[in-house]
Amino acid sequence: MQEKGTISIHTENIFPIIKKFLYSDNEIFLRELVSNAVDATQKVKRLASLGQYNKDLGNLKVSISFDEAKKTITVSDNGIGMTGEEIKKYINQIAFSGATEFMEKFKEAKDANEIIGRFGLGFYSAFMVADKVEIETLSYQDGAEPVRWICDGSTEFEISEGTRTHRGTDVILYINPESEEFLNQYKLQEILDKYCKFLPVPIMFGTKTEQEPDGEDAEGKPKYKSVEVDNIINNTSPIWTKAPGELSDEDYLNFYKELYPLSEDPLFWIHLNVDYPFNLTGVLYFPKVKNDFDLQRNKIKLFSRQVFITDEVKDIVPEFLMLLHGVIDSPDIPLNVSRSFLQADSNVKKINSYITKKVADKLAELFRKDRKSYEEKWNDIGLFVKYGMISEEKFYEKAKDFALLTNTKNEYYTLEEYREKVKETQTDKDGNCVYLYTNDPAKQDSFIQAANKKGYDVLLMNSPIDNHFINQLEHKLEKTSLKRVDADVIDKLITKEENLTHELTEEEASKIKQIFEKAISKPNMTVEVEGLHAEALPVTITMDEFMRRMKDMARMGGGAMNFYGSLPDNYKVAINGNHKLVGRILNTENEETQTQLAKQAFDLALLSQGMLTGADLTEFVNRSVSLI
Ligand code: ADP
């Protein structure tokens, strides 16, 4: 029996185009062929379970081998195999209706995945790396004859009698000269590790040596000999395919190590398991957050029926959870996904909100069950929660009950608890509740102490995302504003009914202002005389909350904000008109001494805020020495 024919596509020769176009992604040929082989074994297993195949299934498996001298790579399976008719039907009829349509779509397609996915060209991806492809196959059907199919990359193929004696299929690729890098143990291992690590049937690649019992030695002790055995490279039942009830914490931690061998243990995990309205399983881990965010991205692997697809899960996982680790497996996402597909797909959107909900539920549960350990983890998870609250309305609604605020005393409060705590003391005369915060407790210590002395609480807001979180809180919480603790002198941070005035005459006030203006002689510093409590510091330097926020935002890069970015840092130098020192300066006759005292008081203010550096610091030290 021998038959020649033409592959049914009505164009001259698409293989060179496929080859060229798909070149950058060409390693996926192995994923496609191994997936086909796995499917073939699954099909025969299913037939057996349905009673439609009654012979011995044997150990279902897929083997990959290569021959450097012959320049071949072979993918073998003991699956259902194909009859000659089936080859003609499945292999020769490339699954698209015509060349015109193909070329049309081809132009739009952005990558190899898209082409392969749209046209069911999985098998043909072999031609990205091979000049010639051979199939040797024997169908499971009673009385089936072995068949060989050969195609040299033109539209011509040849079918003849094959040589296989057992059920299954070998696909033999004659690797082209440009693709010889694939004829390499490490290269193949790397690709298999990437795509095939969790396939549901054993994947054999290479050999390993094992010790086998070999009788007894003269003294009657057991002897062993080394034998080469097939090397299984995959884990056929990774934990996401199991029910959560079957798994222990150790199983989850071990799997994490398997995925990310060098990482620290995760904080906790979420087992995803849904079958309606879409199918999805997976395990997501909350990692310990490292400083460098970007290094940690793209750590979630997307699978489709245990075949690795991609680790770019941008559209499936909400943006704020991109730093999570783990796996997601959904047969509803086709093997050959492309960006544009994911964005348009409605399942993907549902998956996205399902994941958001699951994560929120898990966090709520952790919070409820063991608040103390939740608080301990807050430093690590707070970033996700805040990011989620800023970027997803639905998540905010859930998270507002388990998001925590931390203060400088290391106490944790929910939003509601905090409101209760501060509303009495920190509500201003207009009924607005003012939350005070610091982003640098060391630098702002004098302000924090002053605030505490007044009975105010100070929140710690020093994570990279807190600027945005603060805006979000103000937006969401009623009649609430947040102020950095150094945004104004303490008595003005939260304006109360009491009228603070200084006891200076107008003349004295303008005199003291002049003295300080002369002593400071710095641009961007505006001197004002304020009526503060007598025991407050004589001089305080503040930057207006609004101005500072605008500048922070400009720094983080916002087009229209650049205006603010270009402004110099403007500070207010508040002189405490009620402080003893002011009276002393005014009563000093000697102008030189007045200036010295003013300078000293100003420098002390700078010093207490970590703003005194360089030549100014040196001058301060020298002046202090001469004063003592
Ligand atoms: P797809 O897998 O998307 O249908 P392919 O081009 O990869 O497209 O394969 C076409 C068909 O060829 C498969 O659906 C299957 O019926 C058959 N086939 C491919 N590889 C094998 C194999 N190893 N064993 C049995 N049948 C196979």
Side-chain angles (χ1 to χ4, degrees):
M1 159 188 115
Q2 197 179 58
E3 192 180 328
K4 292 199 179 215
T6 306
I7 289 169
S8 318
I9 44 165
H10 316 285
T11 183
E12 266 296 270
N13 188 347
I14 67 158
F15 295 129
I17 314 175
I18 296 179
K19 240 187 271 186
K20 205 169 135 219
F21 191 82
L22 305 184
Y23 194 70
S24 60
D25 275 341
N26 59 1
E27 67 178 29
I28 59 174
F29 78 92
L30 199 55
R31 178 189 76 186
E32 296 296 326
L33 296 181
V34 174
S35 306
N36 280 350
V38 167
D39 288 349
T41 60
Q42 305 283 64
K43 282 177 192 162
V44 77
K45 194 169 156 186
R46 197 171 144 70
L47 288 175
S49 74
L50 294 172
Q52 291 171 24
Y53 180 66
N54 300 317
K55 291 189 201 132
D56 182 21
L57 275 180
N59 289 328
L60 293 172
K61 61 177 187 185
V62 173
S63 316
I64 294 99
S65 58
F66 70 104
D67 185 324
E68 241 182 306
K70 290 189 188 143
K71 302 197 193 309
T72 58
I73 295 176
T74 302
V75 177
S76 303
D77 65 68
N78 54 359
I80 51 169
M82 285 178 276
T83 62
E85 286 312 305
E86 282 167 338
I87 288 200
K88 285 183 213 159
K89 192 161 140 207
Y90 298 130
I91 301 292
N92 295 344
Q93 297 268 358
I94 293 181
F96 52 88
S97 49
T100 339
E101 191 206 359
F102 176 74
M103 292 313 287
E104 219 31 55
K105 296 247 168 92
F106 185 78
K107 272 185 260 152
E108 294 163 20
K110 288 182 193 62
D111 56 24
N113 268 323
E114 199 169 335
I115 293 264
I116 292 173
R118 281 199 196 182
F119 304 107
L121 288 179
F123 171 75
Y124 280 90
S125 65
F127 287 100
M128 296 194 291
V129 296
D131 284 334
K132 184 169 89 168
V133 178
E134 202 176 305
I135 300 175
E136 285 274 7
T137 183
L138 174 60
S139 165
Y140 76 100
Q141 291 171 32
D142 280 338
E145 299 284 343
V147 183
R148 174 196 287 130
W149 176 93
I150 299 180
C151 178
D152 66 359
S154 70
T155 48
E156 311 274 303
F157 69 88
E158 192 183 301
I159 290 185
S160 58
E161 203 171 306
T163 57
R164 255 196 97 106
T165 51
H166 298 285
R167 183 197 73 218
T169 305
D170 303 312
V171 176
I172 305 144
L173 312 184
Y174 293 84
I175 300 299
N176 63 34
E178 305 90 76
S179 305
E180 282 177 16
E181 55 167 327
F182 293 112
L183 294 166
N184 174 294
Q185 175 86 19
Y186 300 103
K187 182 73 186 172
L188 289 174
Q189 182 74 52
E190 183 193 320
I191 304 171
L192 290 168
D193 275 346
K194 181 166 168 191
Y195 294 104
C196 305
K197 215 170 167 179
F198 300 109
L199 286 174
V201 268
I203 309 294
M204 313 287 186
F205 179 62
T207 52
K208 62 177 181 191
T209 43
E210 260 180 17
Q211 301 299 310
E212 206 174 73
D214 187 24
E216 289 173 0
D217 64 11
E219 291 158 38
K221 288 195 186 132
K223 274 200 320 183
Y224 293 91
K225 64 175 178 201
S226 295
V227 285
E228 292 218 318
V229 294
D230 283 342
N231 187 27
I232 300 179
I233 59 158
N234 59 329
N235 169 357
T236 54
S237 40
I239 64 169
W240 77 82
T241 61
K242 298 179 183 164
E246 291 172 39
L247 299 162
S248 66
D249 285 0
E250 208 187 333
D251 293 327
Y252 286 103
L253 292 172
N254 286 341
F255 184 63
Y256 189 74
K257 287 232 161 66
E258 196 176 337
L259 289 174
Y260 317 105
L262 297 173
S263 295
E264 254 182 87
D265 279 355
L267 296 166
F268 58 89
W269 48 86
I270 299 169
H271 199 124
L272 307 170
N273 201 337
V274 58
D275 43 34
Y276 183 83
F278 50 86
N279 251 293
L280 179 91
T281 49
V283 179
L284 291 179
Y285 292 91
F286 269 72
K288 268 206 163 346
V289 180
K290 300 275 165 27
N291 294 329
D292 200 331
F293 293 169
D294 286 24
L295 277 179
Q296 303 290 310
R297 290 181 88 90
N298 292 338
K299 284 283 196 167
I300 300 176
K301 295 170 194 283
L302 178 64
F303 290 78
S304 178
R305 295 181 207 279
Q306 295 172 242
V307 184
F308 173 77
I309 302 177
T310 176
D311 43 21
E312 283 187 34
V313 295
K314 202 164 171 295
D315 300 299
I316 296 168
V317 175
E319 169 75 19
F320 75 98
L321 294 176
M322 291 289 286
L323 297 178
L324 297 193
H325 294 178
V327 296
I328 290 173
D329 190 325
S330 176
D332 293 337
I333 297 170
L335 246 191
N336 314 100
V337 278
S338 69
R339 233 322 79 77
S340 46
F341 167 83
L342 283 182
Q343 278 163 358
D345 191 69
S346 69
N347 270 338
V348 169
K349 290 204 185 75
K350 283 184 214 143
I351 291 174
N352 192 307
S353 50
Y354 167 77
I355 292 175
T356 305
K357 182 179 173 303
K358 275 300 254 201
V359 169
D361 291 349
K362 177 75 184 187
L363 289 165
E365 179 197 313
L366 288 173
F367 173 71
R368 244 189 355 257
K369 272 197 183 154
D370 186 351
R371 171 142 178 185
K372 197 161 163 292
S373 98
Y374 180 84
E375 286 180 359
E376 279 159 15
K377 292 183 182 124
W378 180 251
N379 272 349
D380 291 301
I381 53 181
L383 189 73
F384 295 101
V385 175
K386 288 174 183 175
Y387 191 7
M389 289 173 82
I390 292 164
S391 56
E392 304 238 348
E393 191 64 23
K394 277 195 195 134
F395 187 78
Y396 182 95
E397 283 312 311
K398 294 191 168 254
K400 66 179 177 358
D401 298 329
F402 55 74
L404 296 180
L405 298 172
T406 329
N407 67 8
T408 52
K409 294 168 187 154
N410 226 356
E411 297 163 337
Y412 293 86
Y413 299 91
T414 63
L415 297 181
E416 208 179 303
E417 289 163 358
Y418 195 70
R419 176 59 140 222
E420 278 307 305
K421 177 181 167 65
V422 301
K423 78 173 180 210
E424 207 63 49
T425 42
Q426 295 183 210
T427 300
D428 70 10
K429 63 179 167 57
D430 303 317
N432 286 314
C433 195
V434 182
Y435 293 5
L436 302 178
Y437 68 94
T438 172
N439 70 336
D440 189 338
K443 270 194 178 168
Q444 291 149 16
D445 183 70
S446 65
F447 291 93
I448 295 168
Q449 292 208 24
N452 288 343
K453 222 157 107 189
K454 236 185 141 55
Y456 297 164
D457 190 70
V458 180
L459 292 170
L460 188 61
M461 291 282 188
N462 59 352
S463 94
I465 201 169
D466 278 338
N467 273 333
H468 298 282
F469 187 56
I470 286 167
N471 286 335
Q472 179 73 345
L473 286 179
E474 284 183 333
H475 174 65
K476 289 283 182 184
L477 301 177
E478 247 170 73
K479 294 201 111 188
T480 305
S481 62
L482 280 89
K483 267 192 188 168
R484 203 165 94 179
V485 69
D486 61 346
D488 209 333
V489 292
I490 185 67
D491 294 309
K492 283 195 166 176
L493 269 180
I494 303 171
T495 44
K496 303 278 183 162
E497 288 298 353
E498 63 176 320
N499 221 353
L500 282 164
T501 48
H502 53 72
E503 291 155 3
L504 304 176
T505 63
E506 219 165 279
E507 204 179 324
E508 286 171 326
S510 92
K511 176 104 191 286
I512 197 76
K513 192 171 170 202
Q514 264 172 21
I515 294 172
F516 270 92
E517 275 168 350
K518 191 173 139 223
I520 293 165
S521 73
K522 276 196 196 300
N524 327 327
M525 297 258 179
T526 318
V527 177
E528 270 174 44
V529 182
E530 311 254 7
L532 306 181
H533 283 285
E535 68 278 12
L537 288 173
V539 179
T540 317
I541 299 160
T542 62
M543 186 195 265
D544 176 65
E545 178 77 17
F546 174 76
M547 197 63 187
R548 211 203 54 251
R549 277 197 212 180
M550 291 304 153
K551 291 184 75 78
D552 281 349
M553 276 155 83
R555 207 170 304 123
M556 287 189 286
M561 289 292 151
N562 277 337
F563 164 70
Y564 292 100
S566 65
L567 294 177
D569 287 341
N570 277 305
Y571 295 96
K572 178 171 91 173
V573 180
I575 315 294
N576 183 359
N578 296 329
H579 197 278
K580 271 194 295 201
L581 179 73
V582 170
R584 204 178 132 201
I585 293 176
L586 287 171
N587 292 332
T588 304
E589 296 290 315
N590 186 329
E591 212 175 293
E592 177 60 23
T593 315
Q594 281 181 338
T595 311
Q596 291 289 67
L597 286 172
K599 276 194 171 161
Q600 191 72 1
F602 173 67
D603 282 354
L604 283 169
L606 287 176
L607 188 67
S608 76
Q609 286 164 251
M611 289 167 71
L612 191 59
T613 54
D616 291 340
L617 180 59
T618 313
E619 198 201 318
F620 168 77
V621 171
N622 291 338
R623 189 185 328 111
S624 302
V625 170
S626 68
L627 278 172
I628 58 174

